[in-house]
Amino acid sequence: MTVTIGRDNLTDAGVAQLLNQHLADMRKYSPAESIHAITPEQLRHPSLSFWSARSDIKVVGCGALKHYSDDSGEVKSMKTDPGYIRQGIAGSILTMIIDEARKRNYASISLETGTHEAFHPAIALYKRFGFDECGPFGDYRLDPYSCFFRLAL
């Protein structure tokens, strides 16, 4: 299986399908007020850069970097198709996001994820990449359904 990862303009229906699955998954584990995933339409905002992973033409993973300030960003919309997990796709996308943050001379990037056990593999990935737990940032607030991480660059 060959997977290619690159910037994406969010016009492929496969991207919307994967992101909508991501939102549906969030609803399984968190109440609505604790879901911070964003829609495909919101990902088109100029402050966001989006990457997709494809196996042939199928979208099998994605992730985004949101510009927060001149020295910080946020990782958003990390999702891997369930049929492709544990194949290094999320790590490859995260590497591209971190590389882009470094090119932008960010001092750090942060992220919010869930606390349910379904999020534990993602948390393990972030920790492998050097992210440390931190408190809420930006507009986030303390929430029993959220945990926060930061990577100093």
Side-chain angles (χ1 to χ4, degrees), residues 19-75:
L19 290 168
N20 287 328
Q21 179 60 51
H22 178 59
L23 288 167
D25 289 345
M26 299 303 99
R27 291 182 195 107
K28 291 181 198 174
Y29 308 117
S30 303
E33 64 274 9
S34 296
I35 296 174
H36 304 289
I38 53 181
T39 67
E41 295 76 28
Q42 291 170 316
L43 280 167
R44 288 188 179 89
H45 191 275
S47 67
L48 286 142
S49 299
F50 184 80
W51 289 262
S52 67
R54 295 172 185 271
S55 177
D56 294 318
I57 61 167
K58 179 179 171 69
V59 178
V60 298
C62 64
L65 177 62
K66 180 179 181 179
H67 176 82
Y68 249 39
S69 69
D70 287 343
D71 68 349
S72 67
E74 179 183 3
V75 177

Side-chain angles (χ1 to χ4, degrees), residues 118-136:
F119 298 99
H120 291 179
I123 291 168
L125 172 74
Y126 300 135
K127 287 181 176 181
R128 271 197 317 277
F129 273 76
F131 283 80
D132 295 313
E133 275 197 71
C134 65

